[in-house]
Amino acid sequence: MSKKAILRTLVILVLLYPVYMLFKAGNALDLQDVQQARNSVLNYQVSIWISWVLLSVVSIYYKWSEKRNFFFYFTYGFLLVSCSVFGYFHQSLVNAYDLPSPFEDSYTLGVVVTLQNLVVSFVLTALLQAAVWWFTRRWHRR
């Protein structure tokens, strides 16, 4: 098996955890227990960040060894989709249980939460990508 195929398999295994937590969060929103629903949505957020760490490790390794950004681009796509879904679930949690929100409309909090998570995760991923690019070049060592 090639290195890329092994890493793809590892990435698919890493993605199973947030998908599992996504289904648990979706099921918990249908329940009447506010605390359980809140915990399941927060657990989904934790699963996103744990997956981000593992995807970053795979991306750094592949960039370092093959000098290609395939897994970094995949990580950006994963973050875009998963943070958007998290914002949707966060807003659904507020709407379903009439929780207090700093915004009066029924969608702005979800957008703000999505943007907060996206900005942080994109900046961290871009810094890692730039660092790997920097250290794979020989000219910086002179």
Side-chain angles (χ1 to χ4, degrees):
M1 262 179 111
S2 71
K3 187 184 308 184
K4 191 172 184 179
I6 292 170
L7 293 176
R8 281 184 184 172
T9 305
L10 182 62
V11 165
I12 289 170
L13 290 175
V14 167
L15 292 180
L16 290 177
Y17 180 53
V19 168
Y20 173 70
M21 296 309 287
L22 174 71
F23 285 118
K24 281 186 74 172
N27 290 336
L29 286 177
D30 296 335
L31 302 174
Q32 297 299 322
D33 187 17
V34 177
Q35 192 60 34
Q36 185 179 2
R38 183 178 289 177
N39 286 341
S40 66
V41 171
L42 289 177
N43 287 339
Y44 175 63
Q45 184 182 22
V46 169
S47 74
I48 291 170
W49 284 103
I50 290 171
S51 298
W52 173 80
V53 168
L54 296 173
L55 288 174
S56 295
V57 168
V58 169
S59 301
I60 289 168
Y61 173 75
Y62 192 71
K63 173 74 174 169
W64 191 275
S65 62
E66 300 294 322
K67 303 202 181 9
R68 296 190 186 218
N69 291 314
F70 174 77
F71 288 105
F72 271 114
Y73 296 148
F74 182 81
T75 303
Y76 287 122
F78 165 75
L79 290 172
L80 181 67
V81 171
S82 60
C83 289
S84 299
V85 170
F86 173 71
Y88 171 77
F89 275 133
H90 193 71
Q91 185 63 50
S92 296
L93 182 68
V94 169
N95 291 344
Y97 297 107
D98 293 327
L99 298 174
S101 172
F103 303 103
E104 293 182 12
D105 57 353
S106 62
Y107 65 90
T108 305
L109 182 63
V111 173
V112 169
V113 167
T114 299
L115 289 177
Q116 285 175 340
N117 284 296
L118 278 178
V119 167
V120 170
S121 60
F122 274 25
V123 166
L124 290 174
T125 306
L127 286 174
L128 287 173
Q129 187 176 7
V132 173
W133 173 83
W134 178 265
F135 285 107
T136 56
R137 304 289 179 243
R138 291 195 178 265
W139 56 267
H140 84 279
R141 297 181 194 154
R142 291 183 199 159

